Amino acid sequence: MADSSDSVSVDVECVPLAGKEHVVKTSCGSLSVAVFGDQDKPALITYPDLALNYMSCFQGLLFCPEAFSLLLHNFCIYHISPPGHELGAAVAGPDEPSLSVDDLADQIAEILDYFRLGAVMCLGVTAGAYVLTLFAMKYSKRVMGLILVSPLCKAPSWTEWLYNKVMSNLLYIFGMCGLPKELLLKRYFSKEVRGSVDVPESDVVQTCRRLLGERQSPNVIRFLEAINGRPDISEDLRELQCRSLIFVGENSPFHHEALHMTSKLDRRFSALIEVQACGSMVTEEQPDAMLIPLEYFFMSYGFYRPSQINISPRSPLSPTSISPELYSPESMGLKLKPIKTRIQEV
């Protein structure tokens, strides 16, 4: 657990933006893991959504200087790419066995073994949030806390199942071309940033569109089919033994799923943050909206922002943060529900 008295300044410009890549062999195939930071620090693992890796799912959050300093000061970050989703990945062959969500969760345990990690903090987006939640259920002693962005917890509805099957067929026939990209971008982002005839799409959407072009469609299909075959884990959520912080964009197609998940979690140890005018991928579309809730969440574990860094007036560690208007939706762009946590005795 971090001690605020040992705080050191983090110079964002001195931390490399390209992590050290490791290829970890697991019982269900090899995975790429990009490691950022000091490996003597507590671990934070990330898992992205479908067809994404850390460069297209978490860069927005890491490019936010305040979030970057908060994370890198307290954690070593291990970005796990889904099978075949890393940059330059080889195409999965036709003889590659299909994967289940249980296989994906078990792979995470093997990655933790490889790096000799104990309990970790987890950050996942949509499909990645489901995998990490399942991992927390299966390996409860290895999870410190869950940060879930637009998460899934139910089995696919018939509508989602059919939608995913159509996307899988399009990827199989045409590859990662125009229509599959549009379906994926609609999954990730709100209409406002995707643009229209009169309004150009935002830079973040353009970047994501370009990065999607680097994905190998057979690899995306493999992950998609695993997620499309997921079971409902709703009724087991109350048995989670860690704190949970959930973010969801108001315009996310998985908004109702996040609300359902929140209703099933133990309210004493979970919180829901609804981000206005945002799609599913809050980490890219509105990463600033995550800062204040993340700081409070980490404070419950004894993690703090570096004391030497210039603290933003928006930081809960700033004396001005007690100002009531800080919590208004107009100033934060959030519907903020109280984070109720139990402080662990040290």
Side-chain angles (χ1 to χ4, degrees):
M1 205 175 276
D3 186 338
S4 60
S5 64
D6 296 332
S7 297
V8 293
S9 178
V10 174
D11 185 347
V12 173
E13 293 184 359
C14 292
V15 180
L17 296 179
K20 182 179 180 181
E21 296 276 352
H22 297 257
V23 177
V24 181
K25 293 182 179 180
T26 73
S27 56
C28 296
S30 296
L31 288 182
S32 175
V33 182
V35 181
F36 290 73
D38 182 355
Q39 290 185 254
D40 290 332
K41 292 183 178 181
L44 182 148
I45 65 172
T46 73
Y47 210 105
D49 192 18
L50 175 71
L52 302 175
N53 55 33
Y54 76 91
M55 295 185 69
S56 47
C57 195
F58 300 107
Q59 286 289 68
L61 181 62
L62 291 178
F63 280 168
C64 176
E66 292 177 319
F68 188 85
S69 65
L70 175 68
L71 294 174
L72 265 294
H73 174 66
N74 291 294
F75 300 100
C76 179
I77 304 176
Y78 297 78
H79 291 298
I80 302 172
S81 292
H85 280 52
E86 69 275 11
L87 185 64
V91 179
D95 55 341
E96 290 279 355
S98 59
L99 293 169
S100 68
V101 286
D102 281 290
D103 293 331
L104 299 174
D106 292 340
Q107 283 184 321
I108 296 173
E110 294 184 57
I111 287 171
L112 267 56
D113 291 340
Y114 175 86
F115 289 105
R116 299 181 181 179
L117 301 176
V120 299
M121 191 70 70
C122 300
L123 168 60
V125 177
T126 312
Y130 179 96
V131 173
L132 290 177
T133 304
L134 182 61
F135 169 71
M137 290 177 168
K138 298 183 71 172
Y139 303 91
S140 59
K141 295 186 183 300
R142 309 200 73 171
V143 177
M144 189 188 312
L146 286 171
I147 304 163
L148 308 173
V149 181
S150 304
L152 307 173
C153 66
K154 296 191 287 187
S157 64
W158 281 110
T159 303
E160 183 194 345
W161 184 89
L162 183 59
Y163 188 92
N164 289 341
K165 281 295 181 183
V166 169
M167 189 188 304
S168 181
N169 287 335
L170 288 171
L171 287 168
Y172 180 79
I173 297 170
F174 300 109
M176 187 61 80
C177 63
L179 184 54
K181 282 186 182 180
E182 293 303 323
L183 295 176
L184 287 167
L185 292 172
K186 188 176 181 180
R187 173 190 177 99
Y188 307 146
F189 298 108
S190 66
K191 184 178 180 180
E192 287 75 13
V193 297
R194 294 201 314 273
S196 62
V197 175
D198 300 319
V199 180
E201 62 185 19
S202 69
D203 291 343
V204 68
V205 175
Q206 291 179 21
T207 300
C208 188
R209 182 189 297 277
R210 177 179 57 79
L211 292 172
L212 283 174
E214 299 172 356
R215 297 285 79 77
Q216 302 287 356
S217 55
N219 302 352
V220 177
I221 292 170
R222 199 163 173 242
F223 187 25
L224 177 58
E225 290 180 346
I227 292 300
N228 214 28
R230 68 184 187 271
D232 191 325
I233 56 175
S234 301
E235 297 309 314
D236 298 321
L237 290 172
R238 192 166 288 273
E239 304 304 318
L240 279 174
Q241 298 179 18
C242 63
R243 301 185 185 103
S244 304
L245 177 60
I246 296 177
F247 294 90
V248 65
E250 272 193 329
N251 299 328
S252 167
F254 307 107
H255 181 255
H256 290 296
E257 183 113 358
L259 298 183
H260 172 77
M261 184 173 189
T262 305
S263 72
K264 296 295 183 179
L265 288 166
D266 190 328
R267 292 180 182 270
R268 297 172 297 168
F269 313 121
S270 61
L272 172 67
I273 312 297
E274 295 178 82
V275 184
Q276 295 178 339
C278 187
S280 298
M281 200 155 47
V282 184
T283 51
E284 292 294 317
E285 191 169 341
Q286 291 198 37
D288 288 343
M290 299 179 67
L291 178 64
I292 293 172
L294 281 176
E295 285 192 280
Y296 276 114
F297 187 68
F298 290 151
M299 284 169 64
S300 68
Y301 292 90
F303 297 124
Y304 297 90
R305 175 186 298 284
S307 60
Q308 280 86 350
I309 198 165
N310 291 328
I311 297 178
S312 164
R314 300 193 313 129
S315 168
L317 304 183
S318 167
T320 62
S321 67
I322 59 174
S323 178
E325 59 268 19
L326 177 69
Y327 302 105
S328 68
E330 291 78 12
S331 64
M332 293 175 60
L334 304 177
K335 289 183 178 178
L336 179 59
K337 301 185 179 180
I339 299 177
K340 299 178 181 179
T341 57
R342 179 174 59 192
I343 304 298
Q344 293 180 332
E345 295 183 1
V346 181

